[in-house]
């Protein structure tokens, strides 16, 4: 009978020891998972920042190209209008001066 109790006690102690070891293993595993999650999160944030920075650079390049094109077009149109006005002035200057003088003499 004593041997049976001793066997039960040994088995209980052995099971307790195995359970405590398993709990320690699980705690280590959880700590590793937490660290891996933090590391993955940092890596994801880093990757997202790179993607956002790249998107900003691409958008900036696109808008700068559009701005340059529009500026060139507007500048050309301004020059054309200015040339047209200058040509109209040169062609009509004498006529306009004569008309103003004639109007003032009346």
């Amino acid at each position: 009978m004593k041997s049976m109790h001793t066997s039960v006690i040994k088995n209980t102690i052995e099971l307790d020891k195995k359970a405590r070891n398993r709990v320690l293993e699980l705690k280590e595993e959880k700590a590793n998972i937490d660290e891996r999650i933090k590391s993955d999160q940092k890596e994801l944030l880093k990757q997202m920042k790179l993607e956002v920075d790249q998107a900003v650079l691409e958008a900036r390049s696109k808008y700068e190209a559009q701005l340059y094109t529009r500026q060139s077009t507007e500048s050309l149109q301004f020059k054309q209008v200015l040339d047209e006005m200058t040509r109209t002035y040169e062609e009509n200057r004498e006529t306009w001066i004569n008309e103003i003088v004639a109007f003032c003499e009346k």
Side-chain angles (χ1 to χ4, degrees), residues 10 16 20 35-36 59 70 73:
K10 283 182 180 179
D16 180 63
R20 279 186 276 127
E35 286 301 314
R36 194 168 55 217
R70 186 166 183 178
T73 302

Side-chain angles (χ1 to χ4, degrees), residues 27-42:
K27 284 182 180 179
E28 286 179 24
E29 212 174 288
K30 181 186 179 296
N32 289 338
I33 288 172
D34 289 344
E35 286 301 314
R36 194 168 55 217
I37 287 172
K38 286 179 186 175
S39 174
D40 289 351
Q41 184 180 26
K42 286 179 185 176

Side-chain angles (χ1 to χ4, degrees), residues 21-89:
N21 285 338
R22 183 65 182 139
V23 167
L24 288 174
E25 289 172 5
L26 290 172
K27 284 182 180 179
E28 286 179 24
E29 212 174 288
K30 181 186 179 296
N32 289 338
I33 288 172
D34 289 344
E35 286 301 314
R36 194 168 55 217
I37 287 172
K38 286 179 186 175
S39 174
D40 289 351
Q41 184 180 26
K42 286 179 185 176
E43 188 59 36
L44 282 173
L45 288 173
K46 182 179 173 183
Q47 184 63 31
M48 286 172 49
K49 184 181 181 325
L50 287 174
E51 289 174 10
V52 167
D53 289 348
Q54 183 63 32
V56 167
L57 285 175
E58 288 173 6
R60 180 177 289 152
S61 292
K62 175 184 168 187
Y63 292 128
E64 285 176 351
Q66 288 176 351
L67 179 62
Y68 178 77
T69 300
R70 186 166 183 178
Q71 186 178 16
S72 296
T73 302
E74 294 293 328
S75 179
L76 180 62
Q77 288 176 348
F78 175 79
K79 185 176 178 340
Q80 288 172 343
V81 168
L82 181 61
D83 289 347
E84 177 70 24
M85 289 175 66
T86 302
R87 188 172 55 253
T88 302
Y89 171 77

